[in-house]
Structure formats: structure tokens, C-alpha cells
Amino acid sequence: MHDLRLGFAYLARGQRWVARHRKQFGFGLVPGLITLVLYLAALTSLALWGTDFTAWATPFADDWSTPWQGLFRGFLTAVLLALALLLAVLTFTAVTLLLGQPFYENLSEKVDRDVSPDGTAPESGLPLWRELLVSARDSLRVLARALVWAVLLFALGFVPFVGQTVVPVVGFFVTGYFLTEELTAVALQRRGVELRERLSLLRSRRTMIWGFGTPLGLAFLVPFVAVLLMPGAVAGATLMARDLLGEEIREDRADGAGHGKTLDGRPADTGSVSR
């Protein structure tokens, strides 16, 4: 429970950080707004023509009697929309981060400089095109993992009782995990941490990751809320990345974290993160 609360605390601290740095908040809204418009257009199209698509995909039901044809195709349309919404939540962060790589990279660096005891931030040293390529590659690999989970949960959704109770809860935890991976990648990639090691770090503090990502995933179901929370989510994920690597956080910059300690008060292991 401590790690669960700690994960949520990082999410809240990230939002407070961008509230104090309004210029960074404003810049951070731009990629989210662009992604939101694209996703709303796609989801609206699916809502308008989803029934037609379902009818085209199920010609074998053309001769079914009423009401079974309508119930069957209506159910498939609802499932299709639900799956599209789940994929939108899973991929919104990755697409927004990819479109806004320069914005969020800059924001994450400023958070690092603000809370670092020596006022410095790790730099990747890679040109922008190379950073975009690495980010896109890793996002596709993470998305492939997320899709496996999405298909599995979709199939389990047909199991009576379990599909209506347990599966939605598990789905939100899975969504929160992958959202957090994408967000912490901004800070961890600058430190040269590869995807395999990032996933290992997240698994080592899974409860904290859920505390950060699960409420964020629930909030992201509301489109405009997702855009507003995105800059703070990147800031909070940067703070959490420092914790995962045992880096120090300045007391006067992180709402009570002790100098030489992570936000939960543990001594920082700075020697383990030199790269």
C-alpha cells in the first residue's frame, strides 16, 4: 500500500510542478491537443459507421430473423467500440509523446534540473531524428505487448461474471502499467536505459507503477482531461524515474523529499546510476 500511495504522490507532484511552471504546461498541451483531434475524428468515424462495418463483416447473419440479427450485430458493434476505446487509451500516450518529443524532452530535462542537487540533467547526446527513431521503435515494441494483453482481456470478457467484474479491473491495471512505461521512457531514454532494463525496473516496483498509471488511465478516458494532465504526467514520471534509479531529489523542489533521499525517504543510491 505504501508504494501504491507513493505512485499516486508522484502523479500529484508532477501536476503541481507544471502548475508552478506555466510556460512548460502551455507548451506541453500542444502535442496532446493534436493527438486528441486525430483520435476524436477516428472514434467518431467508427461510431458513425461501425454498424455498417459490422454488417459488412457478418454477411452470414443477413438472413437471421428479428431480433437476433440486430442483437448480434449491436453486440459486435459495442465490442468494437469498446476495443477501439481501449486501444485509444493504450496508444494515446505513445502517439502524443512521439508527436511531442521535443516538447516533452525539454520539459523532462527542466524537471531534472529543478530537482537535482547539482542542477544538472542527463542528456542522451543523440540527434533529434535518432531520438525519434528510438522512441518510435520502443513504442511499437511496447504496443505489441499491450495488444497481446488487449486481445487476451477481450477474449476473457466473454466469460460469464468474470468478464464483467474481474476483467475490467485487470484491464485498468494493465493500461496503467503500459502508460507509465511510455511516460517514464522520456527520462530513462535520456539516461541510456534500454527498453528491457526499463521494463525490469518497472516490474521491480509494480505496485508504485500501478499507483501512478492506473488513476491516470482512468482519467485518460475523458479526452480533454488526458490533454490537460499530460504535461504533469511527464513531469511526475520524471520524478518517479529518479526514484527507480535511486537518484537524489532536492528537498525544496519536491514537496518535502529530503536532500540525498528519494521521495519516500529512502537513501539514494547515486553510484548505481552512473552511465
Side-chain angles (χ1 to χ4, degrees):
M1 287 297 295
H2 172 71
D3 262 4
L4 201 66
R5 291 194 300 269
L6 182 61
F8 185 78
Y10 280 120
L11 180 60
R13 285 184 171 107
Q15 301 304 323
R16 287 198 292 269
W17 191 92
V18 295
R20 295 196 306 268
H21 300 78
R22 295 181 181 178
K23 184 177 180 181
Q24 296 301 315
F25 176 71
F27 281 129
L29 290 178
V30 175
L33 287 171
I34 295 173
T35 308
L36 177 63
V37 170
L38 294 175
Y39 272 53
L40 283 179
L43 289 173
T44 301
S45 298
L46 185 61
L48 291 174
W49 292 292
T51 303
D52 293 337
F53 175 80
T54 303
W56 170 81
T58 57
F60 56 87
D62 287 344
D63 298 327
W64 288 14
S65 60
T66 304
W68 303 115
Q69 182 195 78
L71 289 173
F72 175 70
R73 286 177 170 169
F75 172 75
L76 288 183
T77 302
V79 169
L80 181 64
L81 287 170
L83 186 58
L85 183 60
L86 175 61
L87 289 176
V89 173
L90 286 173
T91 60
F92 181 88
T93 302
V95 173
T96 304
L97 289 174
L98 188 61
L99 291 176
Q101 180 77 16
F103 295 93
Y104 295 128
E105 194 77 26
N106 181 265
L107 189 155
S108 181
E109 285 186 17
K110 287 186 181 300
V111 173
D112 268 324
R113 290 195 180 94
D114 196 41
V115 302
S116 174
D118 58 5
T120 62
E123 296 181 3
S124 66
L126 298 175
L128 179 60
W129 70 267
R130 179 65 178 172
E131 289 183 352
L132 290 172
L133 186 63
V134 171
S135 179
R137 181 200 65 191
D138 288 351
S139 292
L140 287 174
R141 291 163 67 184
V142 171
L143 179 59
R145 289 175 166 85
L147 285 175
V148 171
W149 275 97
V151 171
L152 176 62
L153 292 173
F154 173 72
L156 291 175
F158 292 99
V159 178
F161 182 71
V162 174
Q164 293 74 48
T165 54
V166 178
V167 171
V169 175
V170 174
F172 280 119
F173 277 96
V174 170
T175 299
Y177 179 87
F178 285 111
L179 279 177
T180 306
E181 196 289 324
E182 291 286 355
L183 290 163
T184 53
V186 177
L188 294 176
Q189 281 179 353
R190 278 192 292 108
R191 291 161 166 82
V193 183
E194 297 292 334
L195 177 61
R196 187 182 298 275
E197 187 177 353
R198 295 204 305 267
L199 292 174
S200 179
L201 280 171
L202 266 60
R203 283 194 296 267
S204 70
R205 302 289 297 280
R206 190 177 285 112
T207 309
M208 182 176 72
I209 302 309
W210 288 336
F212 183 94
T214 303
L216 187 63
L218 287 167
F220 273 21
L221 290 175
V222 184
F224 291 105
V225 173
V227 173
L228 293 173
L229 293 183
M230 193 65 181
V234 173
T238 301
L239 293 172
M240 189 163 62
R242 296 183 69 90
D243 186 340
L244 289 168
L245 295 173
E247 296 179 1
E248 298 180 20
I249 299 176
R250 286 177 58 183
E251 179 178 4
D252 59 334
R253 299 292 186 178
D255 299 327
H259 180 78
K261 298 179 180 180
T262 55
L263 289 184
D264 61 351
R266 294 181 293 106
D269 180 16
T270 55
S272 65
V273 296
S274 58
R275 295 185 181 276

